[in-house]
Amino acid sequence: MRLADPITQPQFYRDVTTKRLIAWVIDTIIIALISLIIVPFTAFIALFFILGLMAVVGFIYRVITLATGSGTWGMRLMAIEIRDHSGARLDTSQAFLHTLGYTISWAITPLQLISIVLMATSNKGQGLTDNFIGTAAMNRKARA
């Protein structure tokens, strides 16, 4: 089994880039809320490091949700999931690598800009990390 061909099976990739953007917004809100829930347990010291806390919470959140359902909660809400080069759901190591690539892209702004351009222009809507490790976001309903 392989990833669907975007030319012969475009339904797998239709509107995925837009859905990924909306999912990212939803995930960012979820991560912010989780981080705010954690703050009181640090005697509010975490407020001084809120962006770092959000980065750690976001990393853990993404690895766990990608490993358990091949998509973050935002992606699941938008009916998309990340599949590996063979079309299978991500396992824990692939979820970790995908999240690591995503985090590195955010840490180095030009890489994130390249990733956004790739998502907007490639026929599978793959970002930089997706291209690197061979994953792609796909419509979940189309896979059924």
Side-chain angles (χ1 to χ4, degrees):
M1 188 163 135
R2 295 185 144 301
L3 285 174
D5 184 294
I7 305 301
T8 61
Q9 298 171 306
Q11 69 274 18
F12 287 98
Y13 303 102
R14 190 168 291 125
D15 301 322
V16 166
T17 302
T18 303
K19 290 178 178 183
R20 283 181 93 165
L21 175 61
I22 296 167
W24 178 82
V25 170
I26 293 166
D27 291 330
T28 301
I29 292 168
I30 292 169
I31 291 164
L33 291 173
I34 293 169
S35 298
L36 289 175
I37 290 169
I38 292 171
V39 167
F41 295 102
T42 67
F44 296 93
I45 295 171
L47 284 174
F48 294 106
F49 309 101
I50 194 69
L51 293 179
L53 175 63
M54 285 183 64
V56 171
V57 168
F59 193 93
I60 294 167
Y61 165 81
R62 288 178 195 288
V63 170
I64 290 171
T65 56
L66 286 174
T68 58
S70 216
T72 63
W73 291 343
M75 290 177 188
R76 294 176 199 183
L77 189 62
M78 298 309 301
I80 58 175
E81 59 188 7
I82 304 289
R83 294 292 182 131
D84 70 9
H85 66 283
S86 68
R89 290 176 159 225
L90 301 184
D91 60 24
T92 304
S93 62
Q94 292 169 320
F96 178 83
L97 287 174
H98 196 277
T99 303
L100 182 63
Y102 168 83
T103 303
I104 290 170
S105 289
W106 270 104
I108 304 169
T109 304
L111 294 180
Q112 186 60 25
L113 295 174
I114 291 168
S115 189
I116 291 167
V117 169
L118 286 172
M119 277 188 261
T121 60
S122 69
N123 55 6
K124 290 183 183 176
Q126 294 171 297
L128 189 58
T129 299
D130 294 317
N131 277 290
F132 216 172
I133 64 174
T135 56
M138 304 175 81
N139 287 310
R140 188 172 55 225
K141 290 179 184 174
R143 299 243 6 123

